Amino acid sequence: AAALAAHGQRLQAGEQRLQAALAHQLARGHQDLRPLAQRLQRAARVSLQGQAQRLAAAQQRLQALDPQQVLRRGYAWVEGEDGRPLLSARALTPGQVVSAVWADGRARAQVLDIDAGPPRG
């Protein structure tokens, strides 16, 4: 019985040492994780800033391609009566009614004559 009691005490002491070692390792693990968490937050912040900058640049490029922006610079486009853009002088016929569209409005016009240049190829 005495040997069994001594063995039980050794087991209990071993359990206490293991619990203390585990608590120490856990505290150390928390200390190791803190700088990693800070690095992760910093990396996420930098990544988000980069993505925001790329998005802003893409928005500017998209806005530059907006047909209304082109019209505001003084250009116009010509549409047929069906509202589809006329992409070539060769698509016109004398007497045809077209619409010229600017940024601030439109005008209906009639084609009087066509002077088509050489075909592009």
Side-chain angles (χ1 to χ4, degrees):
L4 193 57
H7 185 67
Q9 287 177 346
R10 282 193 305 270
L11 283 176
Q12 197 172 32
E15 179 185 4
Q16 289 173 351
R17 283 193 308 271
L18 283 174
Q19 285 180 349
L22 181 61
H24 176 73
Q25 286 286 47
L26 187 60
R28 187 171 164 210
H30 278 297
Q31 290 173 353
D32 291 347
L33 286 177
R34 193 169 295 129
L36 291 175
Q38 290 170 346
R39 284 177 49 198
L40 179 61
Q41 288 174 343
R42 203 170 23 253
R45 192 171 37 254
V46 167
S47 176
L48 284 174
Q49 288 171 346
Q51 289 176 3
Q53 289 172 348
R54 285 190 295 279
L55 178 61
Q59 285 174 325
Q60 288 175 345
R61 286 192 306 272
L62 184 60
Q63 189 175 18
L65 295 173
D66 180 0
Q68 287 298 322
Q69 295 290 16
V70 174
L71 296 179
R72 286 186 190 103
R73 292 193 298 264
Y75 291 92
W77 73 64
V78 180
E79 298 176 345
E81 288 187 288
D82 59 1
R84 291 185 184 166
L86 297 169
L87 304 179
S88 168
R90 295 181 191 292
L92 300 172
T93 58
Q96 181 179 2
V97 176
V98 296
S99 292
V101 181
W102 289 270
D104 63 348
R106 62 179 47 235
R108 286 176 37 97
Q110 186 173 22
V111 176
L112 300 177
D113 188 24
I114 301 159
D115 184 12
R120 290 186 172 185

